[in-house]
Amino acid sequence: MTEEIVIGGGGTGGTVLANDLADRLSPELDRGDVRITLINDSSDHVYKPVWLYVPFGQREPSDGRRPLSELLDDRVNLRIDRVSEIDTDAQELETREGRVPTEYDKLVLATGSTLAPDRIPGLEAGGHDYYSESGSEALREELLSFTEGHIVLSVIGTPHMCPAAPLEFVFMTDDWFRERGLRDDVEITYTYPIGRVHGNPHIAEWAKPLMEERDIAIETYFNAEEVDPDAETIIGMGGSEIDYDLLVSIPPHTGVDLIAEAGLGEDGWVDVDKHTLEAEHAENVYAIGDTADTGVPNAGSVAHYQAGVVGQRLASEIRGRPATETYDGKTLCFIETGMDAASFVEFNYEDPPSPAPPSQKLHWSKLAYNESYWLTARGLL
């Protein structure tokens, strides 16, 4: 009998995992003992970190887009469809286009995050973002015509994709206007919903002095509840207000409804064992990347490392061996600190981050990784 491995989602985690499994299980695939199916609702694979650079005219959205079929091992069965229902008892999926349920022996959910700006009244009309392709393009047009006034970067949604990206944006914005001789006419304010500038206290301790040195105003404990587009005001819990001329937000994030409906976790995130990445409320189900609720925010590298762990565990299970590989929280992250400098952090569940001094070398290292990402997606790096 053929073992059916189904991966839901073709972002970084799903794509890397599919290629990892195709390599690990090559003999089983050749014999027909295993079939790997990846289901994604788009024919394109999107590398979202590119969107950070679009507002500054350094990249085009198309730079972060490739046909998914070109990235996947030929032995992976790609289905362009959307999972609409999960029955973990019967081990079956239903899809929007599927005429019969899809059975699975092993299921990995890599459905990612979805922006939900509608959760904050007025945010869609009054704010911009760079966490979507259309948002990054619209923000580019705003920045190109912005010569004076108050820019507010408000972190509303936590946790969110790429935890360092809000810091990167304000550092790059500061530098971008300095290069144009406009910084004296542009005020920048950064808001965060808890009592520091980042969720990780070590990164917050590193970033705050840099922000103060560069005259980036900081408003912590600011929990946005409403935006008034006409008055150009963002209103926080308790009635506090900040006026803006350009509002850039990190909107609320959600997962997908079908995960909650399947009893796998709340708000679209799968409750998992943070070391094995196995779902806590169903057998033979794993989750990786943003989909996995490990209790800590996920950088892009997390999905990559988690895919390797789940790939090894699944290969062991398929071969009837104990699955011993575990994920230790390993995370690597470059943090842009301007238009020509970056820092770097590496940490895990036990060892906290210690950001490296910003340098041009690290900036170019990040750009080099962005270019080589497609090799990572193909499983070559």
Side-chain angles (χ1 to χ4, degrees):
M1 177 179 287
T2 301
E3 291 272 353
E4 300 284 354
I5 301 175
V6 177
I7 303 167
T12 296
T15 301
V16 171
L17 175 60
N19 287 326
D20 180 276
L21 286 170
D23 183 53
R24 291 184 193 277
L25 296 174
S26 182
E28 287 83 358
L29 286 167
D30 292 342
R31 292 196 303 266
D33 295 339
V34 171
R35 180 162 44 230
I36 302 167
T37 300
L38 188 150
I39 303 174
N40 195 55
D41 60 1
S42 170
S43 60
D44 282 344
H45 177 94
V46 178
Y47 181 52
K48 296 178 181 180
V50 165
W51 294 335
L52 172 66
Y53 300 90
V54 172
F56 304 101
Q58 293 191 333
R59 289 290 185 275
E60 294 293 330
S62 58
D63 295 332
R65 197 175 277 278
R66 296 283 189 282
L68 187 52
S69 59
E70 294 181 3
L71 300 177
L72 287 174
D73 189 290
D74 291 339
R75 293 167 295 183
V76 175
N77 176 33
L78 173 62
R79 285 177 53 184
I80 307 304
D81 202 344
R82 186 177 183 88
V83 178
S84 57
E85 186 175 334
I86 303 170
D87 185 336
T88 58
D89 293 327
Q91 296 195 178
E92 291 181 345
L93 305 174
E94 291 190 9
T95 63
R96 288 183 178 176
E97 303 297 331
R99 299 183 183 277
V100 294
T102 298
E103 297 180 351
Y104 68 83
D105 294 291
K106 305 293 182 182
L107 173 64
V108 183
L109 294 169
T111 45
S113 292
T114 302
L115 302 186
D118 57 306
R119 291 192 171 189
I120 304 297
L123 182 59
E124 287 183 282
H128 291 78
D129 75 82
Y130 53 94
Y131 270 53
S132 65
E133 184 172 315
S134 60
S136 66
E137 291 182 295
L139 182 54
R140 176 176 58 193
E141 300 308 309
E142 291 292 329
L143 281 181
L144 287 173
S145 61
F146 198 90
T147 57
E148 61 179 357
H150 188 198
I151 298 177
V152 175
L153 185 285
S154 185
V155 180
I156 300 173
T158 57
H160 54 76
M161 293 179 282
C162 196
L167 295 173
E168 292 183 293
F169 182 81
V170 290
F171 288 141
M172 292 172 73
T173 299
D174 167 73
D175 210 9
W176 196 75
F177 281 107
R178 288 183 191 278
E179 289 177 354
R180 284 153 182 75
L182 298 171
R183 185 61 174 89
D184 288 342
D185 300 314
V186 175
E187 181 184 359
I188 301 173
T189 295
Y190 174 94
T191 82
Y192 205 76
I194 61 174
R196 52 181 183 260
V197 300
H198 191 270
N200 186 291
H202 302 276
I203 293 177
E205 184 179 358
W206 163 81
K208 185 178 179 182
L210 292 180
M211 299 171 82
E212 292 172 339
E213 289 171 10
R214 295 160 72 162
D215 295 322
I216 297 170
I218 299 168
E219 293 283 346
T220 56
Y221 291 117
F222 188 85
N223 290 271
E225 289 191 326
E226 182 182 353
V227 174
D228 186 335
D230 296 325
E232 294 189 325
T233 300
I234 181 169
I235 303 161
M237 189 180 298
S240 57
E241 297 183 0
I242 300 176
D243 295 330
Y244 65 84
D245 296 294
L246 174 60
L247 173 62
V248 183
S249 77
I250 311 303
H253 286 42
T254 66
V256 292
D257 292 339
L258 69 95
I259 287 175
E261 292 165 359
L264 292 169
E266 296 182 359
D267 218 12
W269 320 119
V270 179
D271 295 329
V272 297
D273 180 300
K274 71 177 185 178
H275 294 291
T276 68
L277 304 170
E278 293 175 293
E280 293 185 348
H281 306 301
E283 294 184 354
N284 298 314
V285 177
Y286 285 89
I288 58 177
D290 288 330
T291 311
D293 186 359
T294 61
V296 295
N298 290 334
S301 63
V302 169
H304 181 190
Y305 293 121
Q306 289 178 342
V309 169
V310 172
Q312 291 190 22
R313 293 185 66 86
L314 287 176
S316 296
E317 291 171 5
I318 292 294
R319 291 167 178 157
R321 302 170 186 165
T324 59
E325 188 69 15
T326 57
Y327 176 62
D328 65 357
K330 183 177 180 180
T331 305
L332 302 179
C333 183
F334 290 96
I335 306 174
E336 296 281 21
T337 56
M339 303 306 293
D340 198 30
S343 178
F344 175 79
V345 293
E346 179 177 2
F347 56 98
N348 57 40
Y349 291 143
E350 301 297 329
D351 302 310
S354 179
S359 69
Q360 185 182 61
K361 179 180 178 180
L362 288 172
H363 165 73
W364 284 104
S365 294
K366 177 168 185 175
L367 297 186
Y369 176 78
N370 286 344
E371 294 299 319
S372 64
Y373 167 76
W374 305 107
L375 298 176
T376 297
R378 289 185 176 94
L380 300 177
L381 281 180

